[in-house]
Amino acid sequence: MIGRPTRALVIALALSWAPVLAQAEDRPISDFFGHYVGSAMAKTEDSRSLGFEMRDLDVIIEGAEPGGFVLSWTTIRGRDGDKDAKRKTRTMFFKPGVAPNIFGPETQGDPAKGEEVAWSRIDGDTLYTYLMAVNERGDYEMQMYSRQVTKDGMALDFERFHDGERTRKVSGKLKRVED
Amino acid sequence: MMRIKTVLAGLAFMALSVPMAQAQDLPLKAFFGHYQGNGIAESSDSLYFGVTMRDMDVVIEPSAQGFFVTWTTVIRQGGDPNNPDIRRKGTEIEFLPTQKPSVFKSSTARDPLDGGQLAWARISERTLVVYLMTIDETGIYSVQSYARTLTGEGMDLVFRRITDGQSTREVRARMVKVAN
């Protein structure tokens, strides 16, 4: 027999947990499809200077058969249109992986040959993308992009690790735009 | 005056040449041997659960094309403090040369996204570092690195586990060379 106060407590606890449980469900990849633009602050782990700079960002995520997606992102360092602005664009295709929330490239790279290991995963409302490479000296570099769907668009965090130590962090907000 | 300048230049060259000589990577064969010792493991929850002691045994030996690293770890954790629970873990990996000098790859590397393990090794001066990378079923990666630095009596080991960018375990151990 459960008394009335106990039952009320159980219901209150269940209600307080409900949003957490709802958040824990992974979004389908189609929820991330769209065109996003915004800016971000890049911070270098260098105590000798303030070490930050602004960047403009452009991200496009679109569906690709069979059940995968194409991720394209552009980073502009310096003012777009300026002569010395640096623009870098990267496009990658990810196909469904071994689990519903995991995606991998068409062919995985071999780090021993200087190639990249890449994959993506969805956790809740965030799409994570990882790029790992081993350099000439045998150190490894890991780049992690986390792209969280928000009401207006996307929250981006990028971290670069060199041999396990974080060397760069970029955080930004992007708005969803109509093409 | 000229003689003083020549002496100073000679001293400066000698002072610079020592670090330059130290910076050179040791050949692989310098690491061959059998080492034993013990160490202390700290994890992200060590503040609450304390550190654990572990005994270690490492053999680094040549193979037909490269070299083998075989290591055994005996972990004493939990149970009665006077008679703790004991777990034993053993690993053997063969590494082969790559086109990069001082970098070696595992002979059995498999795509970590398909449940395999990537393993590679590098020599940096007096240190042989072995890396093992896996990706779990949720897509979260883990890189374990074993940095084994030669010392006068054997080697020092620093083991680190990085999970999704966070350091989750570190082990420091001192080992003595017991056989060549």
Side-chain angles (χ1 to χ4, degrees):
Chain A
M1 284 293 284
I2 301 177
R4 192 170 287 176
T6 315
R7 195 181 304 160
L9 185 66
V10 168
I11 291 168
L13 276 173
L15 283 170
S16 68
W17 274 97
V20 178
L21 290 170
Q23 276 176 1
E25 209 166 292
D26 296 337
R27 282 179 180 256
I29 186 63
S30 55
D31 280 11
F32 296 87
F33 294 167
H35 185 182
Y36 308 84
V37 293
S39 56
M41 180 178 282
K43 206 166 183 326
T44 308
E45 305 285 322
D46 184 351
S47 57
R48 291 168 299 178
S49 66
L50 289 174
F52 60 81
E53 62 175 304
M54 293 302 292
R55 294 162 180 215
D56 290 331
L57 307 170
D58 190 297
V59 177
I60 299 171
I61 305 172
E62 49 196 355
E65 290 300 328
F69 67 97
V70 174
L71 171 63
S72 175
W73 69 99
T74 301
T75 309
I76 302 157
R77 297 169 74 172
R79 289 254 169 225
D80 197 13
D82 281 2
K83 198 171 60 183
D84 51 354
K86 284 183 189 160
R87 174 185 283 261
K88 256 168 65 174
T89 298
R90 178 110 198 243
T91 301
M92 296 183 78
F93 165 67
F94 289 95
K95 63 176 186 176
V98 287
N101 65 328
I102 297 182
F103 301 85
E106 196 80 74
T107 314
Q108 196 64 276
D110 179 357
K113 293 179 184 162
E115 297 167 352
E116 202 171 56
V117 175
W119 75 100
S120 284
R121 71 179 173 97
I122 296 170
D123 184 3
D125 50 15
T126 305
L127 172 67
Y128 294 88
T129 299
Y130 300 83
L131 308 174
M132 193 283 268
V134 175
N135 68 17
E136 285 295 311
R137 296 275 307 145
D139 308 339
Y140 75 96
E141 191 167 271
M142 180 72 74
Q143 299 181 58
M144 278 172 58
Y145 294 84
S146 98
R147 297 181 170 101
Q148 183 185 24
V149 171
T150 61
K151 208 175 84 181
D152 296 334
M154 178 180 280
L156 169 90
D157 276 305
F158 164 77
E159 290 176 285
R160 175 180 288 155
F161 297 89
H162 180 247
D163 237 32
E165 302 293 330
R166 191 169 72 186
T167 55
R168 185 177 288 274
K169 183 173 169 66
V170 179
S171 296
K173 285 193 163 40
L174 295 90
K175 282 200 166 168
R176 187 188 280 267
V177 293
E178 297 300 325
D179 285 323
Chain B
M1 192 64 185
M2 269 305 280
R3 190 169 292 172
I4 294 170
K5 276 188 180 170
T6 311
V7 170
L8 282 174
L11 284 172
F13 175 77
M14 282 168 69
L16 277 172
S17 63
V18 174
M20 279 166 77
Q22 282 177 346
Q24 224 168 16
D25 296 338
L26 286 180
L28 177 61
K29 63 181 181 192
F31 295 89
F32 291 161
H34 185 178
Y35 306 83
Q36 288 180 330
N38 48 49
I40 293 173
E42 280 187 56
S43 61
S44 44
D45 52 16
S46 285
L47 191 62
Y48 308 103
F49 298 105
V51 297
T52 58
M53 292 296 296
R54 36 190 79 193
D55 297 335
M56 294 170 189
D57 183 291
V58 180
V59 177
I60 303 171
E61 58 192 342
S63 68
Q65 293 173 290
F67 67 102
F68 281 109
V69 183
T70 308
W71 67 97
T72 306
T73 308
V74 176
I75 304 165
R76 298 189 296 274
Q77 185 179 28
D80 179 355
N82 296 319
N83 186 22
D85 295 338
I86 289 175
R87 278 188 295 137
R88 179 182 286 266
K89 281 199 317 200
T91 310
E92 181 184 76
I93 300 178
E94 183 187 25
F95 292 96
L96 306 174
T98 66
Q99 288 180 336
K100 303 170 190 171
S102 300
V103 181
F104 306 85
K105 64 174 183 179
S106 156
S107 59
T108 56
R110 269 185 51 226
D111 183 359
L113 205 54
D114 285 336
Q117 177 177 263
L118 271 182
W120 73 98
R122 70 178 169 96
I123 295 172
S124 177
E125 300 179 25
R126 302 179 64 81
T127 305
L128 172 67
V129 191
V130 169
Y131 298 89
L132 310 178
M133 180 193 170
T134 52
I135 300 173
D136 74 12
E137 65 283 355
T138 65
I140 291 176
Y141 79 89
S142 177
V143 176
Q144 300 177 56
S145 62
Y146 298 79
R148 298 182 171 102
T149 303
L150 291 181
T151 61
E153 55 183 8
M155 59 171 51
D156 285 345
L157 166 79
V158 178
F159 164 80
R160 283 200 180 96
R161 180 189 289 146
I162 305 284
T163 305
D164 227 38
Q166 303 293 320
S167 174
T168 51
R169 185 175 291 278
E170 184 166 314
V171 179
R172 287 178 180 273
R174 179 154 289 181
M175 292 197 259
V176 174
K177 191 170 192 174
V178 293
N180 286 321

